[in-house]
Amino acid sequence: VDQEIRTILREHGRLSIDIDQLADDASLYQAGLTSHAGVNLMLAIEDHFGIEFPERMLRRRTFETIASIKNALAELVDGVRTS
Amino acid sequence: LNIQDAGLDEAFIRDKHVLASSVVVGTDLVRIRDVADAMCRHGDRYLQRIYTVLEIAYCISAPHLAAERFAARFAAKEATTKLLRMRTDRLVWRKIEVQRDAGGWCDIVLHAEVKQLADEQGIFGLSLSMSHEHEYALATVVAQRMIEQHAGGAAKQPFAGLGDSKRE
């Protein structure tokens, strides 16, 4: 899952740093994730995992780090473990 | 002014709350290509997640301008969240709406918890300006924030320090 998130980030995040070097708990916003790129990231994750983030998860902190995305997915996708 | 001559009670003047206001501002820039890509890739799911029915109806009424219009509206929503220095990190795109009148002028209309947040902060008189050209769309929102002030005393901004006013 970690690699899948990184692949989606590489395609949609438009980050200004090397995603492979990004720590799980590093802020994606500090790494250059814009508000609109955050929307694209959210929708791409939904497409990839076949889910829809519920209203309660629509928060900036859900998409703040790779770890927080993984934690959200753990609630929504079978077989994804929390960080 | 001599307080006694004016028939005013000095203690009343000293304790009287005087209302003043300060100007608050938010701005945001969005790359139009990013919006066009999202429309192409995610279609209605993208539009319905972010924009209201009224916004969608107006923006798609001129298909060749739709991406520019949506980008300007996204910028307006983000500019408003900056202006409000939102305490929560909830993503509230559809609670911030750009409404366009018959003359083409656009205003920001707040709904539900975003309206409540603005009211709690004493923010009123929102005014919106949007612009877009080939690559980018820009929106700036200004408003007034009421400041409770004791006559002759320091201004009291009950909602100061809620967020980072330099947030980008």
Side-chain angles (χ1 to χ4, degrees):
Chain A
V1 171
D2 186 275
Q3 280 308 313
E4 290 173 82
I5 294 172
R6 287 176 189 272
T7 300
I8 295 168
L9 260 175
R10 193 173 291 113
E11 191 174 348
H12 299 275
R14 293 183 57 228
L15 302 186
S16 49
I17 63 171
D18 181 0
I19 289 164
D20 291 330
Q21 302 300 315
L22 200 63
D24 270 13
D25 60 351
S27 168
L28 299 178
Y29 299 113
Q30 292 297 317
L33 185 71
T34 66
S35 49
H36 198 275
V39 171
N40 280 334
L41 174 65
M42 175 188 78
L43 293 170
I45 290 171
E46 288 185 340
D47 281 348
H48 182 82
F49 290 97
I51 54 152
E52 181 170 323
F53 288 103
E55 185 83 14
R56 66 184 167 82
M57 286 188 177
L58 296 182
R59 295 174 176 274
R60 279 174 63 87
R61 64 171 172 264
T62 300
F63 307 97
E64 174 91 38
T65 65
I66 290 170
S68 64
I69 293 170
K70 214 183 318 181
N71 287 340
L73 287 173
E75 284 191 46
L76 303 172
V77 182
D78 289 339
V80 176
R81 291 184 301 174
T82 53
S83 303
Chain B
L1 172 68
N2 183 304
I3 292 172
Q4 280 74 35
D5 289 349
L8 300 173
D9 179 270
E10 192 172 356
F12 174 80
I13 292 292
R14 189 176 57 244
D15 294 336
K16 183 173 170 26
H17 286 72
V18 175
L19 292 179
S21 67
S22 64
V23 172
V24 285
V25 64
T27 193
D28 197 60
L29 183 70
V30 172
R31 199 168 73 145
I32 293 168
R33 186 178 155 193
D34 291 347
V35 172
D37 286 348
M39 292 169 63
C40 190
R41 191 182 295 260
H42 303 293
D44 284 347
R45 200 158 62 85
Y46 164 71
L47 297 183
Q48 290 168 7
R49 211 66 177 272
I50 308 296
Y51 307 97
T52 68
V53 171
L54 280 177
E55 289 172 332
I56 294 170
Y58 172 70
C59 292
I60 64 173
S61 65
H64 64 294
L65 291 175
E68 284 93 330
R69 290 175 172 179
F70 281 123
R73 278 152 182 79
F74 190 87
K77 293 167 192 281
E78 285 296 311
T80 304
T81 65
K82 291 177 182 177
L83 177 147
L84 292 172
R85 301 178 184 183
M86 292 187 66
R87 278 175 292 179
T88 75
D89 68 347
R90 289 193 60 188
L91 300 170
V92 288
W93 304 292
R94 286 166 52 87
K95 308 286 171 51
I96 301 169
E97 182 175 42
V98 174
Q99 287 188 2
R100 185 176 184 276
D101 70 18
W105 300 106
C106 292
D107 282 311
I108 285 282
V109 177
L110 306 180
H111 301 289
E113 70 261 37
V114 181
K115 171 77 166 68
Q116 185 181 347
L117 178 64
D119 290 344
E120 287 172 0
Q121 295 194 49
I123 287 176
F124 64 100
L126 276 74
S127 184
L128 166 68
S129 180
M130 298 185 293
S131 184
H132 49 81
E133 56 97 69
H134 188 62
E135 286 187 71
Y136 292 97
L138 172 78
T140 299
V141 182
V142 296
Q144 293 189 73
R145 183 167 60 161
M146 203 178 294
I147 302 170
E148 191 180 0
Q149 189 172 37
H150 284 281
K156 180 186 174 191
Q157 297 186 28
F159 303 99
L162 293 175
D164 181 1
S165 62
K166 294 178 181 172
R167 180 184 148 202
E168 293 177 344

